[in-house]
Amino acid sequence: IELEVLPTGGWGYDYLPWIIRYARTLKKPYFTMTGRFHKSWGDFGGIRPEHSLLFDLYNSIANGGSCSVGDHMHPKGKLQRPVYEMIGRCYSKIKQIEEFTEGAVVETDMVIIEPKMAKIPAFQFDTKPVWGATRMLAELKYQFDVSDGLDDIAKYNVVVLPDNVEVDEKLKEKLEKHLKKGGIIISSAYAGLDKEKEKFVLDDYRILFEGEETSDPSFFVVEKEILEGLPDMPITIYQQGVSMRATKESKILARHMKPYFNIRSWDWKHENLYIPPEKETGRPALVQCGNIFHFSFPIFKGYFDDAVVWYKEILKKCIGMVYKEPLIKYQGLPSFVRVNVTVQNSRRIIHVLSYLPELRGQR
């Protein structure tokens, strides 16, 4: 499988992390095709900084893949010496670590499931929930794959169903087995519902679905049990999710609040722009049902679009409550540092990539 990923050419730096984690579940050799160009393909006078190219190569290797670098030959048949000198320097660094990367496979204990991956081309459905979940888990140094849910998920301890994942009968059976062995499910918004979007498919969801959330924006306030490290105030939910009710068998970890009025309301006289929270609705924003945690709002798409750090922190709290021994534990690493684990023969290799991609020009 060849993964064409030129971050500066329109793919961006969020594409490779999720697509390579999907490719590696398909049981085929895979590698990435990046480019030497400052912009996109055919930018003959554009050459990237060396560390920009190295970042792509290291990223592929840390995720169990191999790498290639693309170029375009001038119509006169002449290659640019500085380009190939730079590629040579980069590949010499790759060669130095080849002893530890040749034949290495990734080790993971979590998975993001999106069944649409197997049915619909990646740019023909809303991939933001998967992108957001990937970014959140990667920033938290968790080790995970992205799956279409067709294969066995028995090896994973944590399953993430981001925002819109429909659960059919086959996936339902797998998730039930996952819960029976003590597995954990993190889901949000419409994820976990049936195709008709009428109810949660799994009986272990002790939650009543009541339709689309009508407040826009809305807010949540976390309970004391998970408050440490989070602001003790209403936190904004910028994107509408679902309205739900907790049953007696579930635990509320965050309470939902409504605004005085919706931002989009308009009576031809007044525009509502500054909207504070008014009161609690009596409904939850986050519910725990044993090893299931469900957010009423699209936390993953919300993180990708709006980068609310508290969304990530509350996700970390949920996982930490029931999963005490993830593959990687860390202290003091910034969120932009990525940690990947691979296994080769009898040794385990930990890749730590400390890069901070920075958008310096508007385009």
Side-chain angles (χ1 to χ4, degrees):
I1 300 173
E2 180 188 50
L3 299 168
E4 182 187 9
V5 188
L6 176 53
T8 56
W11 284 256
Y13 283 100
D14 283 294
Y15 182 74
L16 176 63
W18 76 273
I19 200 67
I20 198 168
R21 283 175 168 87
Y22 176 54
R24 68 194 188 196
T25 67
L26 301 179
K27 301 180 177 64
K28 296 181 180 181
Y30 57 96
F31 70 97
T32 56
M33 163 65 78
T34 188
R36 60 87 166 178
F37 305 104
H38 176 68
K39 288 197 172 184
S40 196
W41 303 109
D43 177 17
F44 284 95
I47 182 170
R48 300 169 71 180
E50 190 168 316
H51 276 291
S52 178
L53 181 57
L54 262 177
F55 176 75
D56 291 356
L57 306 184
Y58 284 150
N59 238 322
S60 183
I61 288 172
N63 281 282
S66 54
C67 45
S68 65
V69 181
D71 187 22
H72 285 301
M73 186 182 290
H74 192 281
K76 293 183 178 180
K78 185 178 181 180
L79 299 176
Q80 298 290 340
R81 179 174 291 274
V83 169
Y84 289 88
E85 287 175 344
M86 179 184 71
I87 293 173
R89 289 192 299 272
C90 289
Y91 273 153
S92 70
K93 289 183 170 62
I94 299 303
K95 187 176 181 179
Q96 289 172 11
I97 62 172
E98 208 162 35
E99 174 189 348
F100 302 96
T101 62
E102 184 81 23
V105 296
V106 293
E107 185 175 5
T108 58
D109 57 350
M110 302 185 184
V111 64
I112 299 168
I113 294 181
E114 175 48 89
K116 296 186 187 74
M117 296 288 295
K119 307 170 186 176
I120 307 171
F123 292 107
Q124 293 183 19
F125 70 94
D126 185 6
T127 56
K128 283 186 176 182
V130 178
W131 290 43
T134 298
R135 177 179 277 196
M136 291 172 92
L137 295 184
E139 288 182 2
L140 292 169
K141 325 307 180 217
Y142 291 130
Q143 305 305 303
F144 62 99
D145 292 322
V146 175
S147 170
D148 50 33
L150 296 180
D151 285 338
D152 188 16
I153 61 172
K155 71 173 184 176
Y156 302 110
N157 294 314
V158 179
V159 170
V160 177
L161 306 176
D163 299 352
N164 297 311
V165 174
E166 295 176 355
V167 177
D168 60 17
E169 284 300 317
K170 290 183 179 179
L171 183 55
K172 176 187 176 184
E173 185 178 334
K174 293 174 184 177
L175 293 174
E176 286 174 339
K177 290 180 180 178
H178 174 72
L179 290 171
K180 282 181 181 178
K181 74 177 181 68
I184 299 152
I185 295 177
I186 310 288
S187 56
S188 53
Y190 291 93
L193 294 172
D194 56 18
K195 290 184 178 181
E196 293 74 28
K197 290 185 169 51
E198 294 178 348
K199 63 178 181 179
F200 289 100
V201 172
L202 296 176
D203 293 336
D204 294 84
Y205 276 80
R206 307 299 185 180
I207 307 168
L208 302 176
F209 174 67
E210 295 187 336
E212 183 180 9
E213 175 57 55
T214 57
S215 296
D216 182 23
S218 54
F219 308 84
F220 68 84
V221 179
V222 298
E223 297 286 2
K224 290 183 179 179
E225 184 176 355
I226 59 170
L227 180 59
E228 185 180 356
L230 294 166
D232 189 8
M233 59 175 280
I235 298 172
T236 306
I237 298 171
Y238 296 100
Q239 300 184 25
Q240 290 167 283
V242 302
S243 172
M244 63 187 194
R245 296 277 177 184
T247 65
K248 292 181 179 179
E249 299 106 318
S250 60
K251 181 191 294 186
I252 296 174
L253 296 178
R255 307 184 305 278
H256 183 265
M257 296 187 71
K258 67 183 287 292
Y260 280 89
F261 32 71
N262 283 359
I263 195 168
R264 294 191 180 93
S265 61
W266 172 248
D267 61 4
W268 301 100
K269 296 179 182 177
H270 309 94
E271 179 184 14
N272 301 323
L273 187 60
Y274 305 113
I275 306 173
E278 181 189 13
K279 60 183 179 182
E280 292 187 16
T281 60
R283 295 185 277 108
L286 170 60
V287 170
Q288 179 185 5
C289 312
N291 275 7
I292 296 175
F293 295 84
H294 188 80
F295 294 86
S296 69
F297 57 98
I299 186 172
F300 300 106
K301 183 177 181 179
Y303 189 74
F304 187 77
D305 280 344
D306 299 310
V308 183
V309 173
W310 311 117
Y311 291 3
K312 181 177 66 177
E313 290 303 311
I314 199 171
L315 173 70
K316 182 181 179 182
K317 294 262 187 184
C318 292
I319 294 175
M321 286 173 66
V322 290
Y323 191 35
K324 304 300 183 182
E325 295 296 331
L327 278 174
I328 291 291
K329 289 185 176 182
Y330 68 96
Q331 282 185 322
L333 290 180
S335 61
F336 57 80
V337 171
R338 298 292 183 263
V339 179
N340 298 74
V341 179
T342 59
V343 176
Q344 181 205 56
N345 301 324
S346 60
R347 59 185 169 195
R348 178 182 281 162
I349 300 115
I350 299 178
H351 304 257
V352 183
L353 302 183
S354 182
Y355 283 83
L356 181 58
E358 177 189 4
L359 186 64
R360 297 185 183 182
Q362 291 186 353
R363 289 180 291 174

